[in-house]
Amino acid sequence: KQEVTQIPAALSVPEGENLVLNCSFTDSAIYNLQWFRQDPGKGLTSLLLIQSSQREQTSGRLNASLDKSSGRSTLYIAASQPGDSATYLCAVSRGHNTDKLIFGTGTRLQVFP
Amino acid sequence: EPEVTQTPSHQVTQMGQEVILRCVPISNHLYFYWYRQILGQKVEFLVSFYNNEISEKSEIFDDQFSVERPDGSNFTLKIRSTKLEDSAMYFCASSAETSQAQYFGPGTRLLVL
């Protein structure tokens, strides 16, 4: 059974720092991995999708990498800003007749001025 | 930018009552999903829907739950007889193709008293 874990559970940093959020999954047979942002009491905003054949994806200040064989993904946030404060979730999809997402527990990020 | 919308944003109901949660997926998307998030817990998959039928459902999605696409734009989740433990945030999502990025709506917060 696929388990997705995110470390750290919470992170508080001053504005301007570069950050790394970690996601690990127990079954390396994934089809893709998606990173989301969730603001308190709100929906999920898709940030990046990495297909299993890819090593990384970039969008603005965000860079996500995937090491499928070791069951890990990292989300790198450059030059963090207070507006980046949110919970970051990773989710994996197995493919092979299933596209349900299996979510991690999230990392709650606070960036203070 | 196209987005998934959900109504209502909040719903309070009495145990045993029926509720219908509504979603309008992104217009050219073909794959639809429902997930839920109990307060403080992970986002959990409920059901996926394609070509007017359920593709996959989780153990949570028992006989009390049903989904429907009544017309070309709406996608609904019905809970026939709500229980206290159904209290959660319910998210609708859609994707253009299977195993591509899923885009989530803002959620409906359901409270069962």
Side-chain angles (χ1 to χ4, degrees):
Chain A
K1 181 185 172 186
Q2 179 74 273
E3 295 284 344
V4 182
T5 306
Q6 292 185 246
I7 295 173
L11 187 60
S12 182
V13 299
E15 182 176 7
E17 278 206 4
N18 300 322
L19 309 170
V20 175
L21 308 182
N22 297 292
C23 171
S24 61
F25 43 95
T26 54
D27 185 349
S28 63
I30 66 166
Y31 191 81
N32 62 39
L33 184 145
Q34 199 167 350
W35 281 95
F36 295 89
R37 168 189 174 131
Q38 184 175 28
D39 292 283
K42 305 289 185 182
L44 282 65
T45 301
S46 178
L47 298 174
L48 290 164
L49 172 79
I50 312 178
Q51 301 286 0
S52 61
S53 57
Q54 298 173 321
R55 293 300 296 255
E56 64 179 270
Q57 281 285 336
T58 298
S59 175
R61 294 183 295 109
L62 304 179
N63 175 277
S65 65
L66 174 64
D67 183 344
K68 205 174 96 160
S69 61
S70 67
R72 293 181 185 175
S73 176
T74 60
L75 180 67
Y76 177 82
I77 304 175
S80 58
Q81 303 170 357
D84 294 330
S85 299
T87 296
Y88 290 80
L89 302 173
C90 70
V92 299
S93 168
R94 181 176 174 81
H96 296 291
N97 299 319
T98 175
D99 52 1
K100 70 178 181 184
L101 292 176
I102 299 170
F103 281 82
T105 45
T107 293
R108 190 169 64 253
L109 172 66
Q110 183 181 12
V111 181
F112 53 90
Chain B
E1 186 172 328
E3 57 183 21
V4 177
T5 60
Q6 291 184 243
T7 54
S9 58
H10 295 78
Q11 176 134 15
V12 180
T13 191
Q14 295 291 324
M15 189 170 56
Q17 295 296 304
E18 175 183 287
V19 295
I20 298 176
L21 309 183
R22 292 182 168 81
C23 168
V24 179
I26 294 173
S27 63
N28 63 341
H29 284 187
L30 301 176
Y31 296 82
F32 314 116
Y33 313 87
W34 285 100
Y35 292 82
R36 79 173 186 188
Q37 185 177 33
I38 295 171
L39 190 63
Q41 296 187 22
K42 291 184 180 185
V43 176
E44 303 173 285
F45 169 79
L46 293 177
V47 66
S48 58
F49 190 88
Y50 169 71
N51 200 24
N52 282 321
E53 59 183 31
I54 291 174
S55 309
E56 184 177 6
K57 58 184 181 180
S58 71
E59 297 170 350
I60 304 167
F61 195 89
D62 62 21
D63 292 344
Q64 294 301 313
F65 291 86
S66 63
V67 289
E68 191 177 34
R69 189 156 162 81
D71 53 43
S73 59
N74 291 284
F75 180 49
T76 62
L77 174 69
K78 181 193 291 185
I79 310 174
R80 288 191 185 81
S81 179
T82 50
K83 304 171 191 165
L84 297 176
E85 55 265 36
D86 293 329
S87 295
M89 181 78 99
Y90 287 80
F91 294 110
C92 173
S94 69
S95 67
E97 307 225 1
T98 186
S99 296
Q100 296 302 311
Q102 294 183 23
Y103 295 91
F104 282 66
T108 293
R109 185 172 296 283
L110 176 65
L111 178 61
V112 182
L113 301 176

mmCIF file of all heavy atoms in Angstrom, chain B residues 51-81:
data_model
loop_
_atom_site.group_PDB
_atom_site.id
_atom_site.type_symbol
_atom_site.label_atom_id
_atom_site.label_comp_id
_atom_site.label_asym_id
_atom_site.label_seq_id
_atom_site.Cartn_x
_atom_site.Cartn_y
_atom_site.Cartn_z
ATOM 1 N N ASN B 51 -16.573 9.203 -18.779
ATOM 2 C CA ASN B 51 -17.495 8.666 -19.782
ATOM 3 C C ASN B 51 -18.797 8.195 -19.132
ATOM 4 O O ASN B 51 -19.319 7.116 -19.443
ATOM 5 C CB ASN B 51 -16.814 7.517 -20.538
ATOM 6 C CG ASN B 51 -17.463 7.227 -21.877
ATOM 7 O OD1 ASN B 51 -18.102 8.104 -22.463
ATOM 8 N ND2 ASN B 51 -17.310 6.001 -22.337
ATOM 9 N N ASN B 52 -19.278 9.009 -18.212
ATOM 10 C CA ASN B 52 -20.561 8.765 -17.549
ATOM 11 C C ASN B 52 -20.611 7.523 -16.683
ATOM 12 O O ASN B 52 -21.702 6.979 -16.434
ATOM 13 C CB ASN B 52 -21.702 8.713 -18.562
ATOM 14 C CG ASN B 52 -22.103 10.104 -19.000
ATOM 15 O OD1 ASN B 52 -22.130 11.027 -18.187
ATOM 16 N ND2 ASN B 52 -22.386 10.256 -20.267
ATOM 17 N N GLU B 53 -19.446 7.073 -16.230
ATOM 18 C CA GLU B 53 -19.482 5.992 -15.285
ATOM 19 C C GLU B 53 -18.302 6.074 -14.307
ATOM 20 O O GLU B 53 -17.292 6.712 -14.597
ATOM 21 C CB GLU B 53 -19.505 4.628 -15.984
ATOM 22 C CG GLU B 53 -18.331 4.346 -16.886
ATOM 23 C CD GLU B 53 -18.494 3.006 -17.581
ATOM 24 O OE1 GLU B 53 -19.635 2.581 -17.851
ATOM 25 O OE2 GLU B 53 -17.454 2.365 -17.834
ATOM 26 N N ILE B 54 -18.469 5.417 -13.175
ATOM 27 C CA ILE B 54 -17.414 5.406 -12.172
ATOM 28 C C ILE B 54 -16.249 4.565 -12.684
ATOM 29 O O ILE B 54 -16.432 3.438 -13.130
ATOM 30 C CB ILE B 54 -17.945 4.845 -10.833
ATOM 31 C CG1 ILE B 54 -18.942 5.832 -10.210
ATOM 32 C CG2 ILE B 54 -16.808 4.551 -9.878
ATOM 33 C CD1 ILE B 54 -19.629 5.311 -8.963
ATOM 34 N N SER B 55 -15.043 5.156 -12.630
ATOM 35 C CA SER B 55 -13.835 4.440 -13.025
ATOM 36 C C SER B 55 -13.246 3.677 -11.841
ATOM 37 O O SER B 55 -12.738 2.570 -11.996
ATOM 38 C CB SER B 55 -12.773 5.420 -13.531
ATOM 39 O OG SER B 55 -13.302 6.277 -14.506
ATOM 40 N N GLU B 56 -13.292 4.317 -10.699
ATOM 41 C CA GLU B 56 -12.679 3.737 -9.513
ATOM 42 C C GLU B 56 -13.317 4.375 -8.292
ATOM 43 O O GLU B 56 -13.710 5.532 -8.327
ATOM 44 C CB GLU B 56 -11.173 4.013 -9.511
ATOM 45 C CG GLU B 56 -10.414 3.369 -8.375
ATOM 46 C CD GLU B 56 -8.912 3.618 -8.457
ATOM 47 O OE1 GLU B 56 -8.477 4.379 -9.339
ATOM 48 O OE2 GLU B 56 -8.182 3.065 -7.621
ATOM 49 N N LYS B 57 -13.442 3.614 -7.223
ATOM 50 C CA LYS B 57 -13.939 4.176 -5.972
ATOM 51 C C LYS B 57 -13.170 3.591 -4.812
ATOM 52 O O LYS B 57 -12.631 2.487 -4.892
ATOM 53 C CB LYS B 57 -15.434 3.924 -5.813
ATOM 54 C CG LYS B 57 -15.828 2.460 -5.839
ATOM 55 C CD LYS B 57 -17.347 2.318 -5.762
ATOM 56 C CE LYS B 57 -17.748 0.856 -5.774
ATOM 57 N NZ LYS B 57 -19.224 0.696 -5.696
ATOM 58 N N SER B 58 -13.106 4.353 -3.731
ATOM 59 C CA SER B 58 -12.377 3.905 -2.563
ATOM 60 C C SER B 58 -13.327 3.167 -1.618
ATOM 61 O O SER B 58 -14.543 3.136 -1.825
ATOM 62 C CB SER B 58 -11.747 5.095 -1.850
ATOM 63 O OG SER B 58 -12.751 5.882 -1.223
ATOM 64 N N GLU B 59 -12.730 2.638 -0.563
ATOM 65 C CA GLU B 59 -13.532 1.937 0.453
ATOM 66 C C GLU B 59 -14.511 2.884 1.140
ATOM 67 O O GLU B 59 -15.547 2.466 1.636
ATOM 68 C CB GLU B 59 -12.598 1.346 1.510
ATOM 69 C CG GLU B 59 -11.649 0.295 0.965
ATOM 70 C CD GLU B 59 -10.590 -0.088 1.985
ATOM 71 O OE1 GLU B 59 -10.477 0.598 3.025
ATOM 72 O OE2 GLU B 59 -9.881 -1.066 1.732
ATOM 73 N N ILE B 60 -14.152 4.164 1.177
ATOM 74 C CA ILE B 60 -15.028 5.146 1.811
ATOM 75 C C ILE B 60 -16.329 5.282 1.025
ATOM 76 O O ILE B 60 -17.392 5.512 1.593
ATOM 77 C CB ILE B 60 -14.326 6.523 1.870
ATOM 78 C CG1 ILE B 60 -12.996 6.432 2.594
ATOM 79 C CG2 ILE B 60 -15.221 7.562 2.512
ATOM 80 C CD1 ILE B 60 -12.123 7.658 2.407
ATOM 81 N N PHE B 61 -16.246 5.164 -0.255
ATOM 82 C CA PHE B 61 -17.373 5.407 -1.167
ATOM 83 C C PHE B 61 -18.306 4.205 -1.126
ATOM 84 O O PHE B 61 -18.288 3.346 -2.016
ATOM 85 C CB PHE B 61 -16.848 5.668 -2.579
ATOM 86 C CG PHE B 61 -17.864 6.263 -3.501
ATOM 87 C CD1 PHE B 61 -18.009 7.637 -3.587
ATOM 88 C CD2 PHE B 61 -18.662 5.469 -4.309
ATOM 89 C CE1 PHE B 61 -18.935 8.206 -4.450
ATOM 90 C CE2 PHE B 61 -19.590 6.020 -5.169
ATOM 91 C CZ PHE B 61 -19.727 7.391 -5.246
ATOM 92 N N ASP B 62 -19.111 4.142 -0.075
ATOM 93 C CA ASP B 62 -20.032 3.006 0.065
ATOM 94 C C ASP B 62 -21.382 3.341 -0.561
ATOM 95 O O ASP B 62 -21.519 4.323 -1.293
ATOM 96 C CB ASP B 62 -20.148 2.616 1.545
ATOM 97 C CG ASP B 62 -20.731 3.734 2.401
ATOM 98 O OD1 ASP B 62 -21.398 4.640 1.854
ATOM 99 O OD2 ASP B 62 -20.510 3.709 3.622
ATOM 100 N N ASP B 63 -22.378 2.522 -0.261
ATOM 101 C CA ASP B 63 -23.693 2.667 -0.900
ATOM 102 C C ASP B 63 -24.398 3.972 -0.549
ATOM 103 O O ASP B 63 -25.403 4.314 -1.185
ATOM 104 C CB ASP B 63 -24.594 1.496 -0.503
ATOM 105 C CG ASP B 63 -24.110 0.185 -1.085
ATOM 106 O OD1 ASP B 63 -23.279 0.240 -2.020
ATOM 107 O OD2 ASP B 63 -24.537 -0.874 -0.601
ATOM 108 N N GLN B 64 -23.916 4.665 0.460
ATOM 109 C CA GLN B 64 -24.522 5.956 0.817
ATOM 110 C C GLN B 64 -24.119 7.069 -0.140
ATOM 111 O O GLN B 64 -24.715 8.135 -0.156
ATOM 112 C CB GLN B 64 -24.128 6.343 2.247
ATOM 113 C CG GLN B 64 -24.683 5.418 3.308
ATOM 114 C CD GLN B 64 -26.196 5.375 3.282
ATOM 115 O OE1 GLN B 64 -26.867 6.403 3.222
ATOM 116 N NE2 GLN B 64 -26.758 4.173 3.311
ATOM 117 N N PHE B 65 -23.075 6.819 -0.912
ATOM 118 C CA PHE B 65 -22.552 7.830 -1.822
ATOM 119 C C PHE B 65 -22.954 7.509 -3.260
ATOM 120 O O PHE B 65 -23.016 6.338 -3.655
ATOM 121 C CB PHE B 65 -21.017 7.880 -1.748
ATOM 122 C CG PHE B 65 -20.464 8.416 -0.460
ATOM 123 C CD1 PHE B 65 -20.259 7.580 0.623
ATOM 124 C CD2 PHE B 65 -20.138 9.765 -0.339
ATOM 125 C CE1 PHE B 65 -19.735 8.076 1.806
ATOM 126 C CE2 PHE B 65 -19.605 10.260 0.844
ATOM 127 C CZ PHE B 65 -19.407 9.420 1.918
ATOM 128 N N SER B 66 -23.170 8.543 -4.037
ATOM 129 C CA SER B 66 -23.367 8.359 -5.473
ATOM 130 C C SER B 66 -22.887 9.615 -6.192
ATOM 131 O O SER B 66 -22.812 10.695 -5.594
ATOM 132 C CB SER B 66 -24.830 8.068 -5.812
ATOM 133 O OG SER B 66 -25.655 9.157 -5.456
ATOM 134 N N VAL B 67 -22.529 9.449 -7.449
ATOM 135 C CA VAL B 67 -22.106 10.577 -8.265
ATOM 136 C C VAL B 67 -22.918 10.570 -9.546
ATOM 137 O O VAL B 67 -23.393 9.528 -10.008
ATOM 138 C CB VAL B 67 -20.597 10.553 -8.593
ATOM 139 C CG1 VAL B 67 -19.768 10.852 -7.360
ATOM 140 C CG2 VAL B 67 -20.183 9.232 -9.226
ATOM 141 N N GLU B 68 -23.014 11.766 -10.118
ATOM 142 C CA GLU B 68 -23.818 11.899 -11.325
ATOM 143 C C GLU B 68 -23.328 13.090 -12.121
ATOM 144 O O GLU B 68 -22.842 14.077 -11.557
ATOM 145 C CB GLU B 68 -25.287 12.129 -10.933
ATOM 146 C CG GLU B 68 -26.264 12.025 -12.067
ATOM 147 C CD GLU B 68 -27.699 12.201 -11.589
ATOM 148 O OE1 GLU B 68 -27.916 12.983 -10.650
ATOM 149 O OE2 GLU B 68 -28.582 11.577 -12.172
ATOM 150 N N ARG B 69 -23.431 12.961 -13.441
ATOM 151 C CA ARG B 69 -23.191 14.115 -14.297
ATOM 152 C C ARG B 69 -24.521 14.373 -15.004
ATOM 153 O O ARG B 69 -24.770 13.851 -16.073
ATOM 154 C CB ARG B 69 -22.076 13.800 -15.281
ATOM 155 C CG ARG B 69 -21.593 14.983 -16.075
ATOM 156 C CD ARG B 69 -20.183 14.773 -16.550
ATOM 157 N NE ARG B 69 -19.798 15.657 -17.634
ATOM 158 C CZ ARG B 69 -19.409 16.915 -17.478
ATOM 159 N NH1 ARG B 69 -19.374 17.455 -16.273
ATOM 160 N NH2 ARG B 69 -19.046 17.636 -18.519
ATOM 161 N N PRO B 70 -25.377 15.168 -14.386
ATOM 162 C CA PRO B 70 -26.753 15.317 -14.875
ATOM 163 C C PRO B 70 -26.869 16.056 -16.208
ATOM 164 O O PRO B 70 -27.859 15.892 -16.906
ATOM 165 C CB PRO B 70 -27.446 16.094 -13.755
ATOM 166 C CG PRO B 70 -26.339 16.818 -13.060
ATOM 167 C CD PRO B 70 -25.132 15.940 -13.166
ATOM 168 N N ASP B 71 -25.854 16.856 -16.523
ATOM 169 C CA ASP B 71 -25.869 17.575 -17.802
ATOM 170 C C ASP B 71 -24.434 17.730 -18.251
ATOM 171 O O ASP B 71 -23.540 17.091 -17.699
ATOM 172 C CB ASP B 71 -26.580 18.928 -17.646
ATOM 173 C CG ASP B 71 -25.994 19.747 -16.509
ATOM 174 O OD1 ASP B 71 -24.748 19.796 -16.383
ATOM 175 O OD2 ASP B 71 -26.752 20.330 -15.726
ATOM 176 N N GLY B 72 -24.211 18.573 -19.239
ATOM 177 C CA GLY B 72 -22.868 18.678 -19.807
ATOM 178 C C GLY B 72 -21.873 19.450 -18.979
ATOM 179 O O GLY B 72 -20.696 19.497 -19.324
ATOM 180 N N SER B 73 -22.345 20.050 -17.847
ATOM 181 C CA SER B 73 -21.412 20.870 -17.108
ATOM 182 C C SER B 73 -21.292 20.502 -15.635
ATOM 183 O O SER B 73 -20.232 20.665 -15.055
ATOM 184 C CB SER B 73 -21.798 22.348 -17.231
ATOM 185 O OG SER B 73 -23.105 22.557 -16.743
ATOM 186 N N ASN B 74 -22.346 19.993 -15.026
ATOM 187 C CA ASN B 74 -22.307 19.741 -13.595
ATOM 188 C C ASN B 74 -21.875 18.321 -13.266
ATOM 189 O O ASN B 74 -22.081 17.383 -14.045
ATOM 190 C CB ASN B 74 -23.689 19.985 -12.982
ATOM 191 C CG ASN B 74 -24.062 21.442 -12.984
ATOM 192 O OD1 ASN B 74 -23.565 22.206 -12.187
ATOM 193 N ND2 ASN B 74 -24.920 21.837 -13.919
ATOM 194 N N PHE B 75 -21.284 18.183 -12.087
ATOM 195 C CA PHE B 75 -20.872 16.885 -11.566
ATOM 196 C C PHE B 75 -21.235 16.904 -10.085
ATOM 197 O O PHE B 75 -20.834 17.820 -9.372
ATOM 198 C CB PHE B 75 -19.365 16.709 -11.776
ATOM 199 C CG PHE B 75 -18.789 15.415 -11.299
ATOM 200 C CD1 PHE B 75 -19.361 14.195 -11.625
ATOM 201 C CD2 PHE B 75 -17.638 15.401 -10.524
ATOM 202 C CE1 PHE B 75 -18.828 13.002 -11.190
ATOM 203 C CE2 PHE B 75 -17.075 14.213 -10.089
ATOM 204 C CZ PHE B 75 -17.674 13.012 -10.419
ATOM 205 N N THR B 76 -22.040 15.956 -9.644
ATOM 206 C CA THR B 76 -22.555 16.033 -8.279
ATOM 207 C C THR B 76 -22.153 14.821 -7.459
ATOM 208 O O THR B 76 -21.938 13.719 -7.983
ATOM 209 C CB THR B 76 -24.094 16.134 -8.267
ATOM 210 O OG1 THR B 76 -24.652 14.953 -8.857
ATOM 211 C CG2 THR B 76 -24.582 17.348 -9.032
ATOM 212 N N LEU B 77 -22.043 15.051 -6.160
ATOM 213 C CA LEU B 77 -21.825 14.001 -5.178
ATOM 214 C C LEU B 77 -23.014 14.020 -4.226
ATOM 215 O O LEU B 77 -23.316 15.058 -3.639
ATOM 216 C CB LEU B 77 -20.530 14.228 -4.399
ATOM 217 C CG LEU B 77 -20.253 13.266 -3.226
ATOM 218 C CD1 LEU B 77 -19.952 11.865 -3.746
ATOM 219 C CD2 LEU B 77 -19.085 13.772 -2.376
ATOM 220 N N LYS B 78 -23.682 12.899 -4.098
ATOM 221 C CA LYS B 78 -24.826 12.794 -3.201
ATOM 222 C C LYS B 78 -24.473 11.856 -2.051
ATOM 223 O O LYS B 78 -23.913 10.774 -2.267
ATOM 224 C CB LYS B 78 -26.061 12.263 -3.932
ATOM 225 C CG LYS B 78 -27.288 12.161 -3.040
ATOM 226 C CD LYS B 78 -28.410 11.340 -3.667
ATOM 227 C CE LYS B 78 -29.041 11.993 -4.832
ATOM 228 N NZ LYS B 78 -30.215 11.229 -5.342
ATOM 229 N N ILE B 79 -24.808 12.302 -0.857
ATOM 230 C CA ILE B 79 -24.718 11.438 0.312
ATOM 231 C C ILE B 79 -26.142 11.228 0.789
ATOM 232 O O ILE B 79 -26.826 12.195 1.161
ATOM 233 C CB ILE B 79 -23.849 12.050 1.433
ATOM 234 C CG1 ILE B 79 -22.502 12.513 0.883
ATOM 235 C CG2 ILE B 79 -23.637 11.021 2.540
ATOM 236 C CD1 ILE B 79 -21.634 13.252 1.898
ATOM 237 N N ARG B 80 -26.615 9.999 0.755
ATOM 238 C CA ARG B 80 -28.040 9.728 0.983
ATOM 239 C C ARG B 80 -28.457 9.954 2.427
ATOM 240 O O ARG B 80 -29.495 10.546 2.698
ATOM 241 C CB ARG B 80 -28.379 8.298 0.591
ATOM 242 C CG ARG B 80 -28.370 8.075 -0.876
ATOM 243 C CD ARG B 80 -28.947 6.742 -1.285
ATOM 244 N NE ARG B 80 -28.811 6.541 -2.713
ATOM 245 C CZ ARG B 80 -27.703 6.125 -3.311
ATOM 246 N NH1 ARG B 80 -26.650 5.818 -2.596
ATOM 247 N NH2 ARG B 80 -27.662 5.985 -4.625
ATOM 248 N N SER B 81 -27.716 9.471 3.345
ATOM 249 C CA SER B 81 -28.078 9.554 4.759
ATOM 250 C C SER B 81 -26.811 9.889 5.528
ATOM 251 O O SER B 81 -26.006 9.012 5.842
ATOM 252 C CB SER B 81 -28.671 8.225 5.244
ATOM 253 O OG SER B 81 -28.992 8.284 6.614
#
